[in-house]
Amino acid sequence: MRTNDENVQLANLLFPQVNQSTEDIFKKYPKRELNEGSLVVRFAPSPTGFLHMGSVFTSLINRKLVDQVGGVCILRIEDTDKEREIEGGIDVIINGLSEFGIEFDESVQGGEYGPYVQSQRLDIYKVFAKDLVSKGFAYPCFASEEELSEIREKQSELSVRTGYYGEFAKWRESSLEEVRGELEGGKEFVIRLCSTGDNSVKFEFDDEIKGRCTFAQNDMDVVLLKSDGYPTYHFAHVIDDTLMGVNLVIRTYEWFPSVPLHLELFEKLGLSVIKYAHASPLMKMEDGKRRKLSKRKDPEADVRFFLEKGYPAIAILEYFLNIMNSNFADWRTQNLQLPYTEFKLKLKKFNKAGALFDMVKLEDVCKEYVASLSAKEVYDMSLVWAQKFDSELVKRLEENRELCINILNIEREGSKIRKDIIKWEDVNMAFEIFFDDMSDDIVLESVPENVDSKDVGEIVDRFLNSYDEGDDVTAWFEKIKVIGNDLGFTSDYKAYKESPSEFKGKVGDVAMVLRIALTKKSQTPDLYQVMQVMGKEMVEARLRGFVI
Ligand code: GLU
């Protein structure tokens, strides 16, 4: 056992360049002046160059909760794993989240509690590590990878927990002389926590999402500083969240098992514990089982997937609120006009089993959202998207502004609102029947079998002769009925049902011939509205040019 004095000597031996104290550091991070009930939260991603949808999910929770009660939402970059880091990774995060309207009050872009990138805070971690060593709460460990795996093998043979703890933690009792010897030999070392926990002792803990939980105390001498001088997640988390004045840590469930360790770290560092909320990660159903949405397996785990296809960002946020708090759906139906920001998100209402990320449901929310917009809004939003991802669409939208808005306005009012646009990419599909260069690529569908080619010609000719662009929908349909009745296609559906053999078909078949003649397709939005938007010239040209 080292004496107190030896611990201080050990600290000086390990960190000769560190001459600041923890008090010096605390002075640079004064207590925040907050209103009662305000939150200071942070989103703390690693800059891997990949933005997972789970990041949008977690940062939305953070941003939304702060917006509800006031406070500060911080973006902290956790780049302590040099292997996972990618150049430009920070921009991927900031720009990606910004597409969803998620911005931060403090980040690399500014703030008084920085630096907000962990690799720029290495000196701070060293001060705290030195402090812990001097108090006997941490020590250097020179065990090599081989020695560590030998320990693990031995533990497996003995059928006990693997890890660096208790009697297996051979460097925790090392003398000053032993350490000096290793240092002189130039051996690499890490700094480990000297845990005083007892794994057989259970304690209770309240998580803001999971509620009351029972844990066993930590007894692992985990690494705090790696041999390259970088902190581990655990050490940096406790120090940074304290210095930055965070009062609620919202993070994914994968960190839940580390709670006992983090509580011990707060205690050994003499810091107050911060509240935790552990949110389950986004899950996916596969073969009837839930599994984590995976960056490797699921294209929809990648934020870029949604941005490139133009899923409306707000609809995605609405969908996320839906799976966070199940009462959102009712709130939405009762408050159609209100923005999602008015909804009160509650951690206590989170689904404890985890949120299922279901593309079908997400697309439903997108459809409903686009259906709630005006044609002009759809035009504007798809133009913003196209400016990044679809230059042809930009050209089309800009050169045919009025026509495009009119197309997008079809079936946008009244009882039957179109729901064919899920994402901005789909706007192209809504346009295809109206632009000759696009409709050239549509494969002509067949007219109904019961209409022979002579009747097809008759229908088209007669319609052309009677067509008046100024007709309202009733007059327009009346003309189609008349043509149908003349040719043996009845508008009396009851009569048709009773004795179908008396008729060639129904008036719907007549409308179908016109639909196909005008658009090549058997399924389109409301035909009257389509014709109104096409206008006389296009309607006549297409009908005249129609050959089966
Ligand atoms: N960098 C950690 C992660 O990406 C952050 C976890 C946390 O929010 O504390 O998982």
Side-chain angles (χ1 to χ4, degrees):
M1 270 293 261
R2 289 180 303 272
T3 62
N4 291 349
D5 189 44
E6 281 170 335
N7 281 329
V8 173
Q9 286 184 54
L10 179 60
N12 287 327
L13 187 63
L14 295 169
F15 299 100
Q17 316 84 342
V18 174
N19 40 38
Q20 291 190 88
S21 66
T22 53
E23 287 76 36
D24 294 332
I25 304 284
F26 281 119
K27 275 191 208 127
K28 294 187 202 147
Y29 294 88
K31 206 169 162 338
R32 289 178 187 269
E33 292 191 8
L34 297 168
N35 292 332
E36 171 90 28
S38 300
L39 285 176
V40 181
V41 298
R42 85 296 187 277
F43 175 57
S46 297
T48 59
F50 180 90
L51 191 60
H52 194 286
M53 283 304 272
S55 292
V56 179
F57 187 78
T58 312
S59 51
L60 172 64
I61 306 175
N62 280 291
R63 181 72 262 176
K64 182 87 181 69
L65 291 180
V66 167
D67 289 343
Q68 287 175 189
V69 295
V72 185
C73 186
I74 302 169
L75 173 67
R76 183 174 68 230
I77 303 298
E78 304 211 329
D79 60 344
T80 56
D81 184 351
K82 284 189 271 175
E83 274 157 37
R84 291 178 63 206
E85 197 183 330
I86 291 265
E87 221 188 286
I90 299 181
D91 291 340
V92 170
I93 297 164
I94 294 183
N95 300 338
L97 294 175
S98 172
E99 293 281 349
F100 293 87
I102 300 175
E103 310 283 349
F104 297 89
D105 308 314
E106 293 177 18
S107 71
V108 287
Q109 295 170 320
E112 298 290 310
Y113 288 75
Y116 295 94
V117 179
Q118 287 184 327
S119 61
Q120 294 167 19
R121 304 172 61 81
L122 302 185
D123 290 346
I124 298 174
Y125 308 123
K126 286 198 183 117
V127 172
F128 284 91
K130 183 174 185 179
D131 185 57
L132 285 184
V133 173
S134 73
K135 290 177 173 148
F137 292 145
Y139 62 90
C141 167
F142 293 88
S144 63
E145 277 307 320
E146 292 76 52
E147 286 170 291
L148 292 175
S149 57
E150 275 169 27
I151 294 175
R152 274 193 297 273
E153 273 164 36
K154 192 165 162 205
Q155 289 167 329
S156 304
E157 275 167 30
L158 295 171
S159 305
V160 294
R161 286 176 302 131
T162 54
Y164 203 84
Y165 63 95
E167 66 194 277
F168 301 101
K170 56 181 261 197
W171 282 96
R172 63 169 17 205
E173 303 287 334
S174 57
S175 70
L176 207 53
E177 286 324 303
E178 277 175 283
V179 173
R180 213 187 298 273
E182 296 294 329
L183 289 178
E184 276 164 13
K187 212 153 168 213
E188 287 201 333
F189 66 92
V190 298
I191 300 291
R192 287 185 183 271
L193 165 72
C194 190
S195 173
T196 52
D198 178 346
N199 189 248
S200 65
V201 176
K202 303 264 188 292
F203 67 94
E204 288 195 326
F205 170 80
D206 288 314
D207 184 272
E208 299 297 304
I209 291 179
K210 305 282 163 198
R212 180 143 290 204
C213 311
T214 305
F215 283 108
Q217 281 185 1
N218 171 65
D219 66 348
M220 295 281 166
D221 285 2
V222 293
V223 175
L224 304 179
L225 277 192
K226 297 182 266 188
S227 57
D228 58 7
Y230 275 61
T232 53
Y233 165 76
H234 311 294
F235 196 43
H237 146 56
V238 171
I239 294 171
D240 289 348
D241 284 328
T242 300
L243 293 179
M244 293 181 182
V246 169
N247 58 17
L248 172 65
V249 168
I250 302 165
R251 60 184 180 185
T252 45
Y253 194 62
E254 66 182 290
W255 299 109
F256 187 65
S258 306
V259 165
L261 164 62
H262 297 159
L263 297 185
E264 185 176 9
L265 283 175
F266 279 115
E267 182 206 314
K268 295 283 183 292
L269 286 161
L271 305 173
S272 313
V273 172
I274 303 174
K275 278 191 204 160
Y276 286 106
H278 290 91
S280 299
L282 293 177
M283 310 290 271
K284 176 172 173 143
M285 269 303 196
E286 192 179 64
D287 304 329
K289 288 199 206 92
R290 280 168 176 249
R291 65 159 172 80
K292 255 169 85 171
L293 188 66
S294 143
K295 163 179 173 178
R296 223 167 15 89
K297 294 194 211 150
D298 309 313
E300 75 272 27
D302 189 347
V303 165
R304 261 184 328 188
F305 172 90
F306 295 90
L307 297 180
E308 284 170 8
K309 293 183 183 307
Y311 284 83
I314 292 185
I316 294 179
L317 299 182
E318 294 237 347
Y319 174 65
F320 277 161
L321 290 173
N322 237 308
I323 56 180
M324 286 172 191
N325 278 186
S326 57
N327 57 321
F328 179 81
D330 282 346
W331 177 88
R332 180 34 84 223
T333 9
Q334 284 154 23
N335 299 282
L336 286 176
Q337 304 310 323
L338 292 185
Y340 75 88
T341 45
E342 293 293 314
F343 174 72
K344 290 274 171 288
L345 184 68
K346 292 208 172 83
L347 289 178
K348 298 273 183 273
K349 289 211 163 114
F350 267 59
N351 179 349
K352 294 189 182 34
L356 208 53
F357 187 64
D358 180 339
M359 278 301 281
V360 176
K361 296 218 176 94
L362 168 71
E363 294 201 337
D364 277 345
V365 175
C366 292
K367 267 184 223 171
E368 294 296 334
Y369 169 73
V370 179
S372 76
L373 300 174
S374 69
K376 169 79 171 41
E377 285 169 323
V378 177
Y379 176 92
D380 289 340
M381 291 185 190
S382 51
L383 180 57
V384 170
W385 170 79
Q387 272 152 350
K388 282 197 192 125
F389 297 104
D390 189 343
S391 54
E392 262 188 57
L393 180 60
V394 173
K395 204 159 168 271
R396 198 174 301 282
L397 287 164
E398 285 181 343
E399 288 174 6
N400 310 276
R401 188 169 188 281
E402 201 184 332
L403 172 61
C404 289
I405 293 177
N406 288 341
I407 295 170
L408 294 169
N409 201 37
I410 293 175
E411 285 185 18
R412 201 153 280 284
E413 278 153 28
S415 57
K416 193 173 144 251
I417 298 199
R418 68 190 293 172
K419 298 210 173 134
D420 54 343
I421 300 174
I422 294 170
K423 48 196 185 299
W424 307 131
E425 185 184 71
D426 302 341
V427 162
N428 281 306
M429 188 186 65
F431 287 165
E432 67 179 355
I433 58 173
F434 295 93
F435 290 92
D436 289 338
D437 62 322
M438 293 177 102
S439 74
D440 283 350
D441 295 334
I442 304 176
V443 182
L444 178 66
E445 289 188 48
S446 332
V447 297
E449 277 172 10
N450 53 322
V451 191
D452 64 23
S453 53
K454 191 168 150 282
D455 281 341
V456 170
E458 281 288 323
I459 291 170
V460 170
D461 284 348
R462 287 181 188 224
F463 183 81
L464 266 172
N465 289 338
S466 63
Y467 170 61
D468 179 348
E469 199 186 11
D471 284 345
D472 65 12
V473 64
T474 318
W476 171 86
F477 192 54
E478 205 44 51
K479 286 179 177 171
I480 295 179
K481 272 201 226 161
V482 169
I483 298 171
N485 286 330
D486 280 357
L487 296 173
F489 295 87
T490 182
S491 53
D492 183 347
Y493 282 31
K494 197 162 155 256
Y496 181 80
K497 215 169 163 210
E498 277 162 14
S499 42
S501 56
E502 276 180 35
F503 305 97
K504 285 185 190 160
K506 293 177 284 185
V507 72
D509 299 324
V510 177
M512 183 56 83
V513 169
L514 293 172
R515 187 187 305 276
I516 291 173
L518 284 164
T519 69
K520 296 182 167 175
K521 296 177 75 159
S522 59
Q523 282 192 1
T524 70
D526 178 84
L527 189 58
Y528 173 74
Q529 293 184 49
V530 166
M531 285 196 197
Q532 289 294 108
V533 171
M534 282 182 168
K536 185 168 160 47
E537 208 176 305
M538 181 176 278
V539 167
E540 290 185 351
R542 289 214 174 161
L543 290 180
R544 288 212 176 87
F546 180 63
V547 268
I548 319 178

